[in-house]
Amino acid sequence: MKSISPITTNAWKELRIHFNKMKNIHLVDLFKYNHNRFKNFSYVFKSNMLIDFSKNRITDETIQILLRLSEEMQLSQSIQDMFNGKHINVTENRPVLHTALRNFSHEPILVNNIDIMPKIRAVLNKMKHFSKSIISGVWRGYSGKKITHVVNIGIGGSDLGPRMVTEALKPYKNHLKISYVSNIDSTDVYSILKNCDFSSTIFLVSSKNFTTEETITNATTIKNYFLKKYCNLKDMKHHFFAVTANVQEALKFGIEQNNIFELWDWVGGRYSLWSAMGLSIMLSIGFNNFCNFLHGAYDMDIHFKHASFEKNIPVLLSLIGIWYNNFFNTQTEAILPYDQYLYRFPSYIQQCNMESNGKNIDRNGDKVCWQTGSITWGEVGTNGQHSFYQLIHQGTKLIPCDFIASTISHNPIENHHKILLSNFFAQTHALAFGKYFNNNGENTSCDHDVNHFSEKFKYFEGNRPSNSILFKIIDPYSLGSLIALYEHKIFVQGVILNIFSFDQWGVELGKVISNNIFQGLHGGKNYKNDVSTQGLIHFYNTFKNSMN
Ligand code: G6Q
């Protein structure tokens, strides 16, 4: 991956000029003068997913210039480099191969000249047998009881993805109860200690490096409680499992070799749900559904790898994102699923995007002078409509939105789903075209007289962009393709914005400082702090002592 400053490209300069032309053009006019807009700016993926990006402030010319930008930034080469296992995670000197975890082709994928596919298949096979034995009740707890409860202990990439998918695919779920413990706040682990029948529960200690403070502290608390209240060390093997790239640490923790599911350093934490890190998902929906999930992602990989860029969905969505972020200065983007099961999807994508592209140093080691990752946030519809949509419609900020829904509800009751989708469609319409349109459906918002005092407050100017993603149904396959679509969108943005998307050094500093402060709170040598932090610690001690 070369280091090229995007702002020095010809396309970037063209985009600046083009933006001056586009900034005052209204979506009403873009639709008025091009009746083929929907046809031209939408794609259907595998007869299952429609992506409509016509309600964006773009023209054919915008797309053409953005595509030239991708060429000048040598995107094709970077895509090949990622799939072929080049060390594109330069600051950690690793390949980035989450795509290998869902590779259903028979082609080898080489890391240091060794094909990694046999190892991947072996772990998948181990997960298959293990999940079957738990689901079928063959595997028993120390007292002979069947397992009915699975607790995943992990944080960040070892929690958000599996938790989101388990929620999203609840309609495909079996009888097992699946819980997640992530926070170091003891309230999180307390709920497990309080409500759990340990004799029928298994614990998956999910940590790629197996040294993460939150995960190891939570796992140790559970282990100690378990040993104290229920059984002895040798019985742990019936209940404790590890998902990790650090087998030695897992063994030291007391987990049996056979109970360890391996992953590798070329799987990034936030991209790891396709690996053994997805064990809680497989336990929840079974092996076959998990394979369909991988297949959905694989088909998106094939599309991303081979479709020409003008028809390449992740590439197009990515370029449009750059257009807003860097030329309209949008700062944020909203993910708005109109599907209750997808309620954790925004926070999952939030991590994926903000941890990957929240960088200010380019691939050359220089400070960037353009915008990189957008702030990603969102909430399920229609709840968000009664909360923050006001600002999206009438605030001073432009917020590009992704609306996501499925045509069929898993729980059809009377008219609920039609009302839900009417809201989805209405929102994208209102955002784009504003409030005023006549009986023929023609929008008159641009020339509406808003000078009357009371009208001014009710005026919706529109021209607010959105993408619509509509599925037939949210099933394992379609969810797999949706996640892969966003992963690739984020990757493309990192390539074009000339940053390294696969490290996360920003997460490290807080960990180091908190460790020093912890020693201080524990009566150890006081760490030198600024006056504010010193003040906080002083009041912490004062409040604490006053409670004793
Ligand atoms: C993700 C990040 C981060 C990581 C957690 C947990 O890409 O690296 O969110 O997943 O810090 O790390 P472990 O799995 O190593 O405990």
Side-chain angles (χ1 to χ4, degrees):
M1 259 168 138
K2 275 199 185 151
S3 173
I4 305 167
S5 163
I7 60 170
T8 61
T9 59
N10 291 329
W12 197 275
K13 289 168 202 155
E14 281 183 71
L15 283 168
R16 278 203 183 116
I17 298 166
H18 181 64
F19 171 70
N20 281 329
K21 203 162 80 187
M22 287 297 292
K23 67 183 178 199
N24 295 322
I25 295 182
H26 202 288
L27 277 165
V28 169
D29 295 313
L30 293 177
F31 274 84
K32 191 150 73 188
Y33 298 118
N34 180 358
H35 292 288
N36 288 326
R37 232 182 127 76
F38 177 74
K39 200 166 142 239
N40 295 350
F41 293 138
S42 66
Y43 288 108
V44 176
F45 176 75
K46 297 279 167 193
S47 317
N48 181 49
M49 185 204 287
L50 165 80
I51 292 100
D52 171 20
F53 55 100
S54 62
K55 291 193 186 89
N56 279 296
R57 291 170 68 173
I58 54 167
T59 59
D60 285 331
E61 192 188 354
T62 323
I63 295 292
Q64 288 314 314
I65 311 175
L66 287 166
L67 290 172
R68 286 204 284 281
L69 176 66
S70 68
E71 267 168 44
E72 285 189 75
M73 293 305 298
Q74 305 188 359
L75 176 61
S76 299
Q77 185 60 50
S78 294
I79 295 175
Q80 278 181 43
D81 287 351
M82 177 171 75
F83 280 97
N84 293 339
K86 290 260 168 68
H87 284 213
I88 61 167
N89 179 352
V90 171
T91 66
E92 295 179 308
N93 192 20
R94 292 172 188 166
V96 173
L97 278 171
H98 47 277
T99 51
L101 300 161
R102 57 219 192 194
N103 169 29
F104 285 94
S105 79
H106 296 293
E107 284 166 22
I109 296 179
L110 304 180
V111 170
N112 301 328
N113 286 325
I114 297 168
D115 183 11
I116 56 171
M117 288 314 300
K119 277 204 270 187
I120 293 174
R121 290 189 195 109
V123 173
L124 192 62
N125 206 28
K126 183 169 170 172
M127 290 165 69
K128 174 181 171 178
H129 290 295
F130 174 65
S131 60
K132 276 198 171 157
S133 73
I134 296 285
I135 295 165
S136 64
V138 169
W139 187 282
R140 301 291 168 116
Y142 72 93
S143 66
K145 272 196 188 171
K146 288 182 181 175
I147 302 303
T148 54
H149 189 186
V150 177
V151 179
N152 186 80
I153 310 164
I155 195 165
S158 305
D159 167 77
L160 285 163
R163 195 192 279 252
M164 179 277 286
V165 174
T166 306
E167 287 298 316
L169 297 180
K170 255 194 180 148
Y172 299 85
K173 222 184 126 344
N174 53 37
H175 62 285
L176 293 175
K177 178 179 171 191
I178 313 281
S179 308
Y180 290 87
V181 178
S182 55
N183 203 339
I184 191 67
D185 182 341
S186 43
T187 302
D188 207 8
V189 73
Y190 176 73
S191 65
I192 295 296
L193 300 181
K194 189 167 169 258
N195 299 322
C196 194
D197 172 2
F198 276 61
S199 58
S200 58
T201 302
I202 56 166
F203 300 94
L204 313 177
V205 187
S206 300
S207 174
K208 187 175 147 188
N209 67 37
F210 225 82
T211 56
T212 303
E213 187 181 39
E214 292 89 338
T215 302
I216 301 309
T217 307
N218 279 329
T220 306
T221 299
I222 291 173
K223 179 177 96 172
N224 290 345
Y225 189 85
F226 184 75
L227 292 176
K228 197 165 136 205
K229 287 208 74 148
Y230 295 91
C231 59
N232 51 39
L233 263 181
K234 75 174 176 23
D235 292 322
M236 258 185 73
K237 66 173 181 290
H238 299 282
H239 296 270
F240 282 82
F241 302 83
V243 179
T244 190
N246 190 348
V247 174
Q248 287 314 313
E249 277 302 317
L251 291 170
K252 266 200 243 161
F253 183 88
I255 292 175
E256 293 259 317
Q257 180 85 47
N258 274 344
N259 287 7
I260 298 175
F261 295 82
E262 217 184 327
L263 74 155
W264 307 274
D265 67 356
W266 41 260
V267 187
R270 53 195 172 277
Y271 298 90
S272 64
L273 48 69
W274 319 102
S275 71
M277 216 40 101
L279 189 55
S280 58
I281 304 173
M282 193 188 281
L283 285 160
S284 168
I285 61 174
F287 176 75
N288 290 341
N289 281 322
F290 190 79
C291 283
N292 290 340
F293 174 64
L294 297 181
H295 258 290
Y298 173 66
D299 283 348
M300 184 56 76
D301 292 346
I302 298 294
H303 166 81
F304 177 54
K305 220 164 136 180
H306 298 298
S308 62
F309 286 172
E310 59 267 31
K311 293 190 177 138
N312 194 312
I313 300 161
V315 171
L316 289 167
L317 293 188
S318 175
L319 291 171
I320 293 169
I322 290 172
W323 171 233
Y324 291 126
N325 187 9
N326 270 283
F327 295 89
F328 287 83
N329 285 322
T330 46
Q331 303 278 333
T332 89
E333 59 194 18
I335 311 279
L336 308 169
Y338 277 61
D339 188 313
Q340 191 60 33
Y341 286 122
L342 287 180
Y343 78 100
R344 291 200 63 93
F345 191 70
S347 51
Y348 168 72
I349 296 298
Q350 179 176 67
Q351 182 200 21
C352 219
N353 189 32
M354 292 174 72
E355 210 165 63
S356 298
N357 288 343
K359 312 286 165 66
N360 64 21
I361 300 295
D362 73 8
R363 293 203 290 269
N364 217 18
D366 297 323
K367 186 123 182 159
V368 299
C369 53
W370 54 90
Q371 291 297 319
T372 59
S374 284
I375 299 161
T376 308
W377 58 283
E379 172 64 278
V380 80
T382 59
N383 295 5
Q385 286 176 212
H386 299 266
S387 162
F388 53 79
Y389 278 37
Q390 165 64 34
L391 189 148
I392 307 183
H393 281 287
Q394 286 189 307
T396 51
K397 293 177 177 59
L398 191 69
I399 302 176
C401 301
D402 285 359
F403 287 80
I404 304 167
S406 70
T407 308
I408 297 164
S409 168
H410 283 290
N411 305 299
I413 300 176
E414 295 181 359
N415 275 334
H416 282 247
H417 204 65
K418 272 195 187 133
I419 298 172
L420 177 74
L421 289 197
S422 306
N423 274 278
F424 169 134
F425 302 144
Q427 287 299 325
T428 67
H429 175 89
L431 286 168
F433 304 117
K435 182 176 178 184
Y436 298 99
F437 44 93
N438 64 24
N439 291 339
N440 298 326
E442 289 164 345
N443 197 292
T444 59
S445 61
C446 285
D447 45 42
H448 188 85
D449 176 12
V450 290
N451 288 331
H452 189 277
F453 181 75
S454 65
E455 285 300 302
K456 285 185 182 176
F457 302 95
K458 297 174 193 160
Y459 181 61
F460 290 73
E461 64 187 6
N463 215 13
R464 300 183 181 228
S466 65
N467 294 307
S468 296
I469 302 178
L470 185 62
F471 288 96
K472 268 189 192 156
I473 190 158
I474 300 283
D475 58 10
Y477 177 89
S478 48
L479 184 65
S481 13
L482 180 69
I483 298 170
L485 163 60
Y486 275 94
E487 284 180 348
H488 294 321
K489 175 186 166 189
I490 291 164
F491 167 71
V492 171
Q493 293 193 337
V495 171
I496 292 182
L497 297 170
N498 198 32
I499 51 175
F500 291 124
S501 297
F502 295 101
D503 56 22
Q504 56 284 315
W505 299 106
V507 182
E508 297 303 316
L509 178 65
K511 289 188 191 172
V512 175
I513 299 178
S514 104
N515 203 15
N516 288 331
I517 292 178
F518 175 76
Q519 305 301 335
L521 294 185
H522 238 63
K525 209 173 162 217
N526 255 349
Y527 176 66
K528 264 242 159 293
N529 274 305
D530 64 277
V531 288
S532 162
T533 311
Q534 207 56 51
L536 284 169
I537 294 171
H538 169 74
F539 270 88
Y540 162 79
N541 284 322
T542 311
F543 288 159
K544 194 162 63 88
N545 293 338
S546 72
M547 303 286 283
N548 288 334

